[in-house]
Amino acid sequence: MASPTTEKANILLIGGGGVGTIVALNIETGGLGAVTSVLRSNFNVVNQQGYTIHSVDHGEVPSWKPTKGVLGSVPDVTKESLPPFDYVITTTKNCPDVPPTLPELIAPAVTPGHTVIVMIQNGVNIERPMFEKFPKNIVLSGVSMIGSHERGTGVIVHDDPDILYLGAFRNPNFTDSKPEVAAAHAFIKLYGAAGKTNVQFSDDVQWARWRKIIFNGVLNPICAITNLDSSRVRLADSLVEGLVRPAMTEVFEVASKLGYQLPEDIIDTMINLDPMDMYLEPSMLCDFRKGNLMEVEILVGEPLREAEKVGVPTPNLKVIYELCKAIQWRTKETKGLITVPPKRGA
Amino acid sequence: MASPTTEKANILLIGGGGVGTIVALNIETGGLGAVTSVLRSNFNVVNQQGYTIHSVDHGEVPSWKPTKGVLGSVPDVTKESLPPFDYVITTTKNCPDVPPTLPELIAPAVTPGHTVIVMIQNGVNIERPMFEKFPKNIVLSGVSMIGSHERGTGVIVHDDPDILYLGAFRNPNFTDSKPEVAAAHAFIKLYGAAGKTNVQFSDDVQWARWRKIIFNGVLNPICAITNLDSSRVRLADSLVEGLVRPAMTEVFEVASKLGYQLPEDIIDTMINLDPMDMYLEPSMLCDFRKGNLMEVEILVGEPLREAEKVGVPTPNLKVIYELCKAIQWRTKETKGLITVPPKRGA
């Protein structure tokens, strides 16, 4: 469990991009936690110069680093005889189709039965591999509504306020959920201590995740496949009525069958979520345009596998999934993760 | 009807790219037809310098032009008091979703009841708008297996021999099909006179077209949507078994329901049509990569509309179609054919 608040909580953050950096800044500003951030692509720049942050919640913050600094890889608390982390927060992209998986990645920093894992990430069923790997740990769920992006290396533009719905995943190995709920409230206290962010307790984290997957499992991949932003998708020929709405209806029915009753108007809400004149790029389109891997499995694959389990037909979602996997395959080839046989005469 | 062969047939060719240029060269080499070619993007270059042709059937042919020259637009035989064309051959891309439609385009050159229209183009139902516009004309069907591309402006690389299956579409306004069949044979004589090409009479042009649409209605658009060539589609994750084969099976069933019984092994034949080590780009992928419009409607839209008419469920083909239309919409926007409302603050 997390340490009592008389001393600062010892926190490891994995993923210091647009979302993770503001998470770290929130916590440090509140004074109840001390953060170490594990970075990848921006490690050298941030290690030397710190972050440059332009934040709608925190203002202009130059040359900023978390108090316990940044690391280029996940520390091994046992081998390095480090004090245990009270929290490991994950804010990275989550692509279980590319090793290492997230549980493998964070394992050296997780103390069994002690570290609270906080997943501030999209998707459904993301907690399952965590509980498999860490059966005795509490895992919290963060569904973030923040708008924050790394515009240049180490330069964070946070232009839409941080709103975080935080609750506890149910660890199937625990009979009592009270410690999980208490851990969620403890983290909320720590996260909201600066008073600069809107963090709310979520008592049904799965409901919140299935609500968001209506957008992220359908409109998000369709934007990536068609290379259209979320406004152009609404303008493009018959795409909304011919594909977006039918596929969203499939996901809605999967959620219903699983017991998550979403509002009747959720599909229209999600189709029109982004302001029309903003021409926003959802995350998968962003990744696609940057040539990055997309979160195909946790956003599209998992809803589809749930559909198959509960017997809801999802012909549209199936095609979206196959096409996303093919595009992901191409990205893997470009990144050298896959090689193909040589071309004739080459 | 075409003129007797004592004088050369007067032929207008619309579309002087990879396929059209070899069609013109075949005819001119045989000596039974005199060709005028209507060009668009390569008009200036070809008009000044002629074509440079590297042909597997004809060898190296420098500075070549059809005997009656090239034009930058379709001539109006009535207004310009020209002799009627015996044949108008169409070898352009066929995108009825972008005006002018093909019948509108060629109308000024077509003499009702005289000109034989020869459509050497892919797709199904392409003859229907022709018969609507020209109810008294014969329309022939050419299904070409040629490999020939314009590699630079006016530079034609013809690397796979010309094989043409030629037959007559059935004009629903004619009770007797004999003149249509005779016209097909007359054109074959003219087309094959040089002895350098393989032109065969096709007695069921619809069957041949539905056979080819198994590839062109499914694998071709999937290559474009995923940006993968026809070999990588076979390598990419579960794409063949998860999408290509199910969608091809849908088209196979539409063809069956329409009375075109294709061979049992046609789907495997079409999946494996291109040699694996060639990494070939089907036409829609080619167009996609060049930023050109794709033949969405005649390759994907028409099979889908036929499916709806005869009541064959085609959930996979439907999604492929919607995505193609969305990509086509984006190309239209890029080409300035569509404009979107301004972005906030722009």
PDB file of all heavy atoms in Angstrom, chain B residues 187-200:
ATOM      1  N   PHE B 187     -13.525  -6.115 -84.954  1.00  0.00           N
ATOM      2  CA  PHE B 187     -12.527  -5.381 -84.172  1.00  0.00           C
ATOM      3  C   PHE B 187     -11.328  -6.269 -83.843  1.00  0.00           C
ATOM      4  O   PHE B 187     -10.179  -5.821 -83.868  1.00  0.00           O
ATOM      5  CB  PHE B 187     -13.140  -4.815 -82.887  1.00  0.00           C
ATOM      6  CG  PHE B 187     -12.159  -3.974 -82.111  1.00  0.00           C
ATOM      7  CD1 PHE B 187     -11.887  -2.665 -82.486  1.00  0.00           C
ATOM      8  CD2 PHE B 187     -11.474  -4.499 -81.019  1.00  0.00           C
ATOM      9  CE1 PHE B 187     -10.954  -1.892 -81.797  1.00  0.00           C
ATOM     10  CE2 PHE B 187     -10.545  -3.729 -80.316  1.00  0.00           C
ATOM     11  CZ  PHE B 187     -10.284  -2.421 -80.704  1.00  0.00           C
ATOM     12  N   ILE B 188     -11.593  -7.538 -83.536  1.00  0.00           N
ATOM     13  CA  ILE B 188     -10.495  -8.475 -83.241  1.00  0.00           C
ATOM     14  C   ILE B 188      -9.562  -8.587 -84.448  1.00  0.00           C
ATOM     15  O   ILE B 188      -8.332  -8.586 -84.299  1.00  0.00           O
ATOM     16  CB  ILE B 188     -11.067  -9.852 -82.838  1.00  0.00           C
ATOM     17  CG1 ILE B 188     -11.698  -9.769 -81.450  1.00  0.00           C
ATOM     18  CG2 ILE B 188      -9.992 -10.937 -82.897  1.00  0.00           C
ATOM     19  CD1 ILE B 188     -12.476 -10.992 -81.024  1.00  0.00           C
ATOM     20  N   LYS B 189     -10.139  -8.653 -85.642  1.00  0.00           N
ATOM     21  CA  LYS B 189      -9.333  -8.758 -86.868  1.00  0.00           C
ATOM     22  C   LYS B 189      -8.398  -7.557 -87.000  1.00  0.00           C
ATOM     23  O   LYS B 189      -7.190  -7.696 -87.253  1.00  0.00           O
ATOM     24  CB  LYS B 189     -10.273  -8.836 -88.086  1.00  0.00           C
ATOM     25  CG  LYS B 189      -9.543  -9.088 -89.391  1.00  0.00           C
ATOM     26  CD  LYS B 189     -10.520  -9.239 -90.549  1.00  0.00           C
ATOM     27  CE  LYS B 189      -9.777  -9.202 -91.883  1.00  0.00           C
ATOM     28  NZ  LYS B 189     -10.700  -9.031 -93.021  1.00  0.00           N
ATOM     29  N   LEU B 190      -8.973  -6.402 -86.782  1.00  0.00           N
ATOM     30  CA  LEU B 190      -8.248  -5.133 -86.872  1.00  0.00           C
ATOM     31  C   LEU B 190      -7.173  -5.032 -85.795  1.00  0.00           C
ATOM     32  O   LEU B 190      -6.048  -4.618 -86.034  1.00  0.00           O
ATOM     33  CB  LEU B 190      -9.312  -4.051 -86.706  1.00  0.00           C
ATOM     34  CG  LEU B 190      -9.016  -2.586 -86.670  1.00  0.00           C
ATOM     35  CD1 LEU B 190     -10.052  -1.896 -87.593  1.00  0.00           C
ATOM     36  CD2 LEU B 190      -9.203  -2.020 -85.285  1.00  0.00           C
ATOM     37  N   TYR B 191      -7.542  -5.467 -84.588  1.00  0.00           N
ATOM     38  CA  TYR B 191      -6.657  -5.328 -83.430  1.00  0.00           C
ATOM     39  C   TYR B 191      -5.487  -6.301 -83.501  1.00  0.00           C
ATOM     40  O   TYR B 191      -4.373  -5.990 -83.090  1.00  0.00           O
ATOM     41  CB  TYR B 191      -7.454  -5.558 -82.143  1.00  0.00           C
ATOM     42  CG  TYR B 191      -6.695  -5.192 -80.881  1.00  0.00           C
ATOM     43  CD1 TYR B 191      -6.690  -3.888 -80.413  1.00  0.00           C
ATOM     44  CD2 TYR B 191      -5.988  -6.153 -80.152  1.00  0.00           C
ATOM     45  CE1 TYR B 191      -6.007  -3.539 -79.261  1.00  0.00           C
ATOM     46  CE2 TYR B 191      -5.300  -5.814 -78.997  1.00  0.00           C
ATOM     47  CZ  TYR B 191      -5.312  -4.504 -78.559  1.00  0.00           C
ATOM     48  OH  TYR B 191      -4.636  -4.163 -77.428  1.00  0.00           O
ATOM     49  N   GLY B 192      -5.762  -7.495 -84.076  1.00  0.00           N
ATOM     50  CA  GLY B 192      -4.740  -8.540 -84.099  1.00  0.00           C
ATOM     51  C   GLY B 192      -3.969  -8.613 -85.406  1.00  0.00           C
ATOM     52  O   GLY B 192      -3.107  -9.478 -85.569  1.00  0.00           O
ATOM     53  N   ALA B 193      -4.254  -7.696 -86.346  1.00  0.00           N
ATOM     54  CA  ALA B 193      -3.704  -7.807 -87.709  1.00  0.00           C
ATOM     55  C   ALA B 193      -2.184  -7.837 -87.746  1.00  0.00           C
ATOM     56  O   ALA B 193      -1.581  -8.480 -88.613  1.00  0.00           O
ATOM     57  CB  ALA B 193      -4.229  -6.661 -88.586  1.00  0.00           C
ATOM     58  N   ALA B 194      -1.531  -7.176 -86.792  1.00  0.00           N
ATOM     59  CA  ALA B 194      -0.062  -7.138 -86.800  1.00  0.00           C
ATOM     60  C   ALA B 194       0.539  -8.456 -86.329  1.00  0.00           C
ATOM     61  O   ALA B 194       1.730  -8.701 -86.511  1.00  0.00           O
ATOM     62  CB  ALA B 194       0.429  -5.998 -85.911  1.00  0.00           C
ATOM     63  N   GLY B 195      -0.267  -9.289 -85.709  1.00  0.00           N
ATOM     64  CA  GLY B 195       0.224 -10.585 -85.227  1.00  0.00           C
ATOM     65  C   GLY B 195       1.139 -10.466 -84.017  1.00  0.00           C
ATOM     66  O   GLY B 195       1.868 -11.397 -83.682  1.00  0.00           O
ATOM     67  N   LYS B 196       1.119  -9.344 -83.357  1.00  0.00           N
ATOM     68  CA  LYS B 196       2.027  -9.139 -82.220  1.00  0.00           C
ATOM     69  C   LYS B 196       1.296  -9.210 -80.882  1.00  0.00           C
ATOM     70  O   LYS B 196       1.884  -8.962 -79.835  1.00  0.00           O
ATOM     71  CB  LYS B 196       2.688  -7.762 -82.343  1.00  0.00           C
ATOM     72  CG  LYS B 196       3.432  -7.593 -83.641  1.00  0.00           C
ATOM     73  CD  LYS B 196       4.704  -6.814 -83.443  1.00  0.00           C
ATOM     74  CE  LYS B 196       5.518  -6.829 -84.721  1.00  0.00           C
ATOM     75  NZ  LYS B 196       6.892  -6.432 -84.502  1.00  0.00           N
ATOM     76  N   THR B 197       0.019  -9.473 -80.923  1.00  0.00           N
ATOM     77  CA  THR B 197      -0.751  -9.436 -79.687  1.00  0.00           C
ATOM     78  C   THR B 197      -1.675 -10.650 -79.629  1.00  0.00           C
ATOM     79  O   THR B 197      -1.945 -11.301 -80.627  1.00  0.00           O
ATOM     80  CB  THR B 197      -1.546  -8.118 -79.603  1.00  0.00           C
ATOM     81  OG1 THR B 197      -2.144  -8.036 -78.322  1.00  0.00           O
ATOM     82  CG2 THR B 197      -2.638  -8.064 -80.660  1.00  0.00           C
ATOM     83  N   ASN B 198      -2.129 -10.959 -78.467  1.00  0.00           N
ATOM     84  CA  ASN B 198      -3.003 -12.101 -78.248  1.00  0.00           C
ATOM     85  C   ASN B 198      -4.396 -11.580 -77.942  1.00  0.00           C
ATOM     86  O   ASN B 198      -4.702 -11.242 -76.796  1.00  0.00           O
ATOM     87  CB  ASN B 198      -2.430 -12.924 -77.089  1.00  0.00           C
ATOM     88  CG  ASN B 198      -3.260 -14.161 -76.785  1.00  0.00           C
ATOM     89  OD1 ASN B 198      -4.349 -14.342 -77.337  1.00  0.00           O
ATOM     90  ND2 ASN B 198      -2.739 -15.004 -75.913  1.00  0.00           N
ATOM     91  N   VAL B 199      -5.233 -11.470 -78.968  1.00  0.00           N
ATOM     92  CA  VAL B 199      -6.598 -10.995 -78.754  1.00  0.00           C
ATOM     93  C   VAL B 199      -7.559 -12.146 -79.018  1.00  0.00           C
ATOM     94  O   VAL B 199      -7.491 -12.802 -80.054  1.00  0.00           O
ATOM     95  CB  VAL B 199      -6.912  -9.743 -79.615  1.00  0.00           C
ATOM     96  CG1 VAL B 199      -6.609  -9.964 -81.079  1.00  0.00           C
ATOM     97  CG2 VAL B 199      -8.364  -9.289 -79.433  1.00  0.00           C
ATOM     98  N   GLN B 200      -8.406 -12.438 -78.054  1.00  0.00           N
ATOM     99  CA  GLN B 200      -9.289 -13.598 -78.135  1.00  0.00           C
ATOM    100  C   GLN B 200     -10.739 -13.164 -78.021  1.00  0.00           C
ATOM    101  O   GLN B 200     -11.064 -12.266 -77.239  1.00  0.00           O
ATOM    102  CB  GLN B 200      -8.974 -14.576 -76.996  1.00  0.00           C
ATOM    103  CG  GLN B 200      -7.551 -15.093 -77.033  1.00  0.00           C
ATOM    104  CD  GLN B 200      -7.271 -16.055 -75.887  1.00  0.00           C
ATOM    105  OE1 GLN B 200      -8.198 -16.574 -75.271  1.00  0.00           O
ATOM    106  NE2 GLN B 200      -5.997 -16.287 -75.613  1.00  0.00           N
TER     107      GLN B 200
END
